[in-house]
Amino acid sequence: MLSDYLEVKSFVGLSALSEFHTAVGQFLNYRVALEKMESERVLYLAVPTDIYQDFFTDSFVQTVLERYQIKMLVFHVKGQEITLWKD
């Protein structure tokens, strides 16, 4: 996946929903910028496994990810491994 970019988010703020809104906005802006500069690149939103399990499994969040076609990579921080790859 050398032609892909990751936007890594940790969600350490007080509100996961507020962090999510910021992450989605940044992701969409980055995707537009990449389309203009390097259209062959694919952007992924990367989040730690615990954040994915605690927040990203919510039906509203899943609907937003599907609506905006946000590709995700979920990773285990301590194990430094990818646990889920969602296209």
Side-chain angles (χ1 to χ4, degrees):
M1 292 285 155
L2 295 175
S3 64
D4 297 341
Y5 279 115
L6 296 176
E7 172 61 16
V8 179
K9 293 296 180 186
S10 59
F11 286 76
V12 294
L14 296 177
S15 167
L17 188 57
S18 178
E19 293 281 325
F20 178 66
H21 290 306
T22 299
V24 168
Q26 287 177 334
F27 181 92
L28 295 175
N29 286 334
Y30 294 159
R31 186 163 64 188
V32 169
L34 276 175
E35 286 172 359
K36 294 233 178 238
M37 297 169 37
E38 300 180 50
S39 62
E40 73 283 354
R41 303 262 183 178
V42 178
L43 181 64
Y44 286 84
L45 175 63
V47 297
T49 303
D50 59 333
I51 300 298
Y52 181 80
Q53 292 171 343
D54 293 344
F55 182 77
F56 279 79
T57 55
D58 179 81
S59 63
F60 170 76
V61 173
Q62 288 294 310
T63 300
V64 171
L65 296 173
E66 289 172 17
R67 170 92 33 97
Y68 294 109
Q69 300 175 347
I70 295 175
K71 298 175 186 300
M72 290 196 66
L73 188 144
V74 182
F75 63 95
H76 188 271
V77 175
K78 290 183 182 177
Q80 297 183 340
E81 63 185 354
I82 297 169
T83 58
L84 180 64
W85 195 281
K86 291 186 76 170
D87 277 331

